[in-house]
Amino acid sequence: MNNLRLAKKKKEKTIVKVGNVEIGKDFVIMAGPCSVESEEQTITIAKYVKEAGANILRGGAFKPRTSPYSFQGLGLKGLKILAKARELTGLPIITEVIDPRDVQWVSEFVDILQIGARNMQNFSLLKEVGKVNKPVMLKRGMHSTIVEWLSCAEYILNEGNPNVILCERGIRSFETYTRNTLDISAVSVVKTLSHLPVIVDPSHATGRPELIPPMSLASVASGADGIMVEVHHKPEEALSDGAQALLPEEFNTLVKQVRNLVNCMKDINPYFVKERK
C-alpha cells in the first residue's frame, strides 16, 4: 500500500477525455468484436453498436492467445479497418497493444491503448505506454491482487501519462462454470484507494452471454464508470470468443437496461460509508 503514490495522490477523480467521451464523468459503454476479422465484419458491428448507444468501439488487431495456432489478429490491416470504422461511425476506438516496440505506431491509429490481462505485469510495455500521449486501459491480471493491479498502474503514471483507466475482467478461481470469477467488490475497493476510473468487462469475466446483462447491472450498482462488452452479428463464425459475444439485438436491450439503471443511480452514492482507519 505504501508503494501506491500517484494512484492515491490526487483528491479529485480523474476524468479521461477521448473526443466527446469523458470516462470517469459519464457512464461509458465500450462494445465491439473480440477480434477484427474483416472490414465487412468490423464495420457492420460498429454500426450496430453505434446505433444501440455505445460510446467507444472495441476490437482486437493483435490477439495474444493461449495457443500459438489460434487466430492472432490482423495486425496493421486490422488497425486500418478500425480507423475506417471510426471514420464511418464517429466512435473512438480502443485496441490492445502487446509489444513495447509497437506502442508508438499503434498509437497513431487508435484513441485508447489497452493492456490485456496477460500483459498486466509486462513492465517494459507499461513504461512504454506511459510515455505516449494516449489514454491507457489497464486490465487486471487473472491471478493478480488489487494492490498488484494498482502498482502496475503506477508504472504508467510514473512515466508521465495521467490518463489511466482500470478494467476489472475477472480473476481465476476454482470455479469452472464461468470463464473467470468477476470480482465486483474490486470496483468499490479501487474507488476507495485511487482516483482512477474503473471499467468492468463482464464478457471475459463470465464467458457466458446470459450472464453479461446481470453482471453489467451489478457493475453499475457497484459504482463502475463503464462496461466493455463483446458483440458479434455472427458469433458462430467468430474467429475468437464467439461463445461469449452478444448478438446486436441483445446488446441493444442491454444498453437500455444499463442506461435506465445509471439514471436511477445518479442520486445514490455507493460509497456512503467511509473506509475506517
Side-chain angles (χ1 to χ4, degrees):
M1 294 291 290
N2 292 333
N3 291 326
L4 299 181
R5 303 176 184 177
L6 299 173
K8 294 181 70 175
K9 188 176 180 181
K10 283 176 60 179
K11 291 185 178 180
E12 67 275 13
K13 186 177 180 180
T14 289
I15 307 296
V16 179
K17 295 183 179 181
V18 184
N20 295 325
V21 180
E22 294 185 302
I23 305 170
K25 179 180 179 182
D26 304 317
F27 191 88
V28 173
I29 298 177
M30 304 178 182
C34 177
S35 301
V36 175
E37 301 164 359
S38 69
E39 182 174 313
E40 184 274 335
Q41 168 253 11
T42 303
I43 291 176
T44 297
I45 297 172
K47 290 179 178 179
Y48 276 134
V49 300
K50 167 71 173 182
E51 184 177 355
N55 307 105
I56 295 173
L57 175 67
R58 61 145 296 152
F62 303 92
K63 299 302 300 181
R65 306 295 296 280
T66 301
S67 171
Y69 311 114
S70 299
F71 178 63
Q72 303 288 314
L74 297 179
L76 176 59
K77 181 179 178 181
L79 291 174
K80 291 180 178 179
I81 292 172
L82 284 170
K84 185 171 183 178
R86 176 180 55 202
E87 181 181 351
L88 292 174
T89 64
L91 292 174
I93 54 177
I94 177 172
T95 200
E96 183 173 355
V97 60
I98 62 176
D99 193 317
R101 296 169 295 182
D102 296 337
V103 170
Q104 291 292 337
W105 68 269
V106 171
S107 297
E108 297 176 8
F109 289 89
V110 303
D111 302 290
I112 306 174
L113 297 168
Q114 175 182 306
I115 303 298
R118 291 176 175 83
N119 273 316
M120 189 200 80
Q121 290 183 307
N122 184 338
F123 301 119
S124 296
L125 180 58
L126 297 179
K127 290 179 181 178
E128 202 62 34
V129 297
K131 297 174 183 176
V132 297
N133 186 30
K134 289 284 180 179
V136 178
M137 189 177 79
L138 177 65
K139 284 199 164 188
R140 182 182 180 183
M142 61 189 76
H143 302 289
S144 302
T145 67
I146 292 172
V147 172
E148 288 170 342
W149 182 24
L150 286 170
S151 294
C152 289
E154 291 279 329
Y155 272 88
I156 304 171
L157 295 167
N158 192 48
E159 291 296 329
N161 189 342
N163 295 310
V164 176
I165 308 153
L166 300 172
C167 180
E168 163 60 38
R169 45 81 68 204
I171 53 177
R172 187 68 58 86
S173 74
F174 56 79
E175 181 55 67
T176 58
Y177 185 79
T178 53
R179 181 174 181 175
N180 293 286
T181 297
L182 178 58
D183 184 5
I184 202 69
S185 67
V187 176
S188 299
V189 171
V190 168
K191 290 283 188 170
T192 64
L193 293 178
S194 85
H195 51 80
L196 301 174
V198 187
I199 301 293
V200 174
D201 179 348
S203 298
H204 281 90
T206 67
R208 305 180 72 94
E210 72 273 16
L211 297 180
I212 292 172
M215 292 305 97
S216 296
L217 297 175
S219 301
V220 175
S222 71
D225 296 293
I227 54 174
M228 171 180 266
V229 180
E230 291 187 0
V231 179
H232 204 294
H233 64 308
K234 296 179 180 179
E236 69 281 358
E237 298 178 8
L239 297 180
S240 61
D241 289 349
Q244 68 189 31
L246 293 181
L247 292 166
E249 56 267 29
E250 294 172 332
F251 177 69
N252 186 61
T253 300
L254 173 65
V255 171
K256 293 177 181 177
Q257 293 173 338
V258 166
R259 296 296 185 198
N260 285 337
L261 184 56
V262 168
N263 289 331
C264 292
M265 290 289 295
K266 285 183 178 179
D267 296 327
I268 300 175
N269 178 8
Y271 314 109
F272 62 90
V273 177
K274 299 295 183 181
E275 182 182 12
R276 294 173 183 171
K277 304 298 182 181

